[in-house]
């Protein structure tokens, strides 16, 4: 493993660390979460009369380990023309949001947005409950790595005869809304290359999962950077990089060594299989690192409720 790989591994956390922020001051430990999280979305008054002013407030935090770029918040599920905005949209640019920092034990950046509204006109004696929804979208990255041991067959024989083993290590990755699991064998056995003999070929299985799918989180097609046109419903750009001394034998979906777009099946997951070939085997054994990078635009959402009581005399009767 070279210095660059080692440095990246130190910045990563095990795949199991996907929890909420527990605190930021007073000695509390801060832990990573699933990218940009909506902390709360609520009105200042949940019961109002027609014509009353009210505010909806959104608080969002980047609990992942990568800067969230081009963050946007959009208020939906209510008619803008009915809520005193004269038909103007509810989109808000929130800029970039800094991530959680494990080294300094500091939480990710929090941003707040407010929408000032006016409750719609309803006939006197009637009430209606509205359910405003906010959608927060952002550009994000996930970097995953897995260490594998490439071992000469004679060295492997000695290890087994001595009663030892070469256990496989788990996938490590930066925290975010998409997770990656890289699966290989416990080790890669090589026999070298002499007299025209081919080096060893081994498969690498990669599974990409949308951890926020069950709670409304989704990869979105922005029509430009991620999934141009309508070819992809849930596009993710994937780059699989083999370690030094190993090359990609096949160039299937996502396995070319450059960024390629894959589609999450029904927005939930994608499975990729790559074939790697050892081209520079070690004399004994060597630990090497496989790297998988994802780039995507992600969206999460939340809803709240506002109940409006009508005050307008004769509304709806042509008066």
């Amino acid at each position: 493993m070279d210095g660059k790989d080692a440095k990246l591994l130190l910045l990563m956390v095990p795949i199991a660390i996907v929890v909420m922020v527990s605190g930021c001051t007073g000695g509390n430990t801060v832990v990573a979460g699933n990218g940009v999280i909506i902390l709360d979305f609520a009105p200042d008054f949940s019961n109002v009369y027609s014509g009353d002013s009210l505010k909806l407030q959104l608080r969002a935090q980047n609990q992942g380990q990568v800067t969230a770029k081009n963050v946007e918040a959009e208020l939906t599920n209510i008619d803008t023309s009915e809520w005193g905005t004269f038909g103007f949209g509810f989109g808000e640019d929130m800029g970039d949001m800094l991530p959680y920092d494990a080294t300094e034990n500091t939480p990710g950046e929090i941003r707040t947005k407010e929408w000032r509204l006016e409750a719609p006109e309803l006939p006197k004696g009637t009430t209606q409950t509205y359910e405003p929804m906010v959608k927060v979208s952002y550009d994000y990255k996930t970097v995953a790595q897995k260490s594998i041991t490439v071992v000469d067959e004679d060295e492997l024989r000695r290890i087994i005869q001595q009663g030892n083993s070469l256990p496989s290590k788990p996938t490590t990755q930066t925290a975010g809304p998409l997770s990656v699991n890289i699966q290989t064998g416990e080790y890669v056995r090589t026999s070298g290359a002499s007299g025209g003999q081919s080096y060893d070929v081994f498969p690498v299985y990669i599974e990409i999962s949308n951890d926020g799918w069950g709670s409304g989180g989704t990869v979105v097609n922005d029509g430009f950077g991620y999934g141009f046109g309508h070819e992809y419903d849930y596009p993710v750009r994937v780059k699989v990089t083999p370690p030094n001394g190993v090359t990609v034998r096949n160039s299937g979906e996502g396995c070319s060594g450059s960024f390629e777009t894959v589609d999450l099946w029904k927005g939930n997951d994608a499975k990729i299989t790559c074939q790697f070939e050892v081209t520079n085997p070690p004399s004994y054994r060597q630990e090497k690192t496989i790297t998988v990078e994802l780039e995507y635009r992600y969206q999460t959402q939340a809803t709240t409720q506002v109940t409006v009581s009508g005050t307008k005399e004769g509304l709806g009767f042509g008066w």
Side-chain angles (χ1 to χ4, degrees):
M1 181 188 304
D2 58 28
K4 182 179 179 181
D5 288 337
K7 183 177 180 181
L8 185 55
L9 280 171
L10 288 173
L11 296 175
M12 294 183 173
V13 294
I15 190 173
I17 301 182
V18 183
V19 291
M20 298 296 289
V21 166
S22 62
C24 58
T25 59
N28 291 334
T29 300
V30 183
V31 292
N34 288 5
V36 177
I37 303 298
I38 296 175
L39 298 177
D40 53 64
F41 173 58
D44 53 353
F45 295 98
S46 57
N47 292 278
V48 295
Y49 291 97
S50 293
D52 284 354
S53 297
L54 72 149
K55 293 184 292 185
L56 289 174
Q57 185 187 80
L58 161 72
R59 287 196 314 131
Q61 181 181 36
N62 183 7
Q63 296 181 1
Q65 291 180 290
V66 177
T67 298
K69 296 185 177 182
N70 304 313
V71 183
E72 296 179 355
E74 183 178 2
L75 188 61
T76 67
N77 209 37
I78 55 175
D79 188 339
T80 58
S81 63
E82 295 180 354
W83 287 80
T85 66
F86 305 101
F88 290 105
F90 290 137
E92 294 285 345
D93 182 2
M94 300 177 69
D96 297 344
M97 296 176 64
L98 297 176
Y100 148 81
D101 189 332
T103 304
E104 301 295 334
N105 191 37
T106 56
E109 186 172 0
I110 296 176
R111 292 284 178 88
T112 301
K113 288 293 181 182
E114 288 185 355
W115 289 270
R116 296 179 180 271
L117 308 173
E118 183 177 298
E121 296 287 353
L122 294 177
K124 186 175 182 180
T126 66
T127 62
Q128 184 169 335
T129 298
Y130 297 85
E131 295 188 349
M133 173 185 293
V134 67
K135 293 179 179 288
V136 177
S137 62
Y138 53 97
D139 295 333
Y140 220 66
K141 295 182 178 181
T142 298
V143 181
Q145 290 190 325
K146 181 178 177 63
S147 294
I148 59 171
T149 300
V150 179
V151 56
D152 177 77
E153 60 181 356
D154 292 333
E155 173 73 0
L156 179 61
R157 186 179 297 111
R158 286 190 290 269
I159 291 172
I160 295 175
Q161 288 174 342
Q162 292 169 353
N164 297 319
S165 62
L166 295 171
S168 177
K169 294 184 178 181
T171 302
T172 58
Q173 63 192 276
T174 54
L178 298 188
S179 62
V180 180
N181 187 26
I182 306 171
Q183 298 181 18
T184 63
E186 293 185 351
Y187 50 81
V188 177
R189 181 176 63 88
T190 68
S191 53
S194 61
Q197 180 181 352
S198 298
Y199 292 123
D200 295 82
V201 175
F202 63 98
V204 176
Y205 305 98
I206 301 165
E207 183 173 5
I208 303 168
S209 299
N210 179 5
D211 295 331
W213 181 251
S215 56
T218 180
V219 170
V220 292
N221 187 335
D222 67 357
F224 184 69
Y226 306 101
F228 181 75
H230 301 286
E231 181 179 358
Y232 302 97
D233 295 321
Y234 307 98
V236 179
R237 299 180 68 231
V238 182
K239 180 181 179 181
V240 181
T241 304
N244 294 330
V246 177
T247 60
V248 178
R249 179 166 179 141
N250 75 335
S251 56
E253 186 180 55
C255 299
S256 68
S258 301
F259 276 106
E260 298 181 59
T261 301
V262 301
D263 205 15
L264 299 187
W265 176 246
K266 294 184 178 180
N268 193 37
D269 59 28
K271 295 178 174 64
I272 300 170
T273 301
C274 300
Q275 289 185 9
F276 285 177
E277 182 177 12
V278 179
T279 55
N280 186 18
S283 299
Y284 298 101
R285 59 175 166 171
Q286 190 174 50
E287 191 172 276
K288 296 178 177 291
T289 303
I290 299 169
T291 302
V292 177
E293 301 170 71
L294 309 180
E295 295 182 349
Y296 49 94
R297 186 161 186 83
Y298 201 79
Q299 178 181 278
T300 188
Q301 65 186 39
T303 60
T304 190
Q305 288 188 341
V306 177
T307 299
V308 179
S309 297
T311 61
K312 187 72 172 180
E313 293 280 0
L315 185 64
F317 296 98
W319 295 7

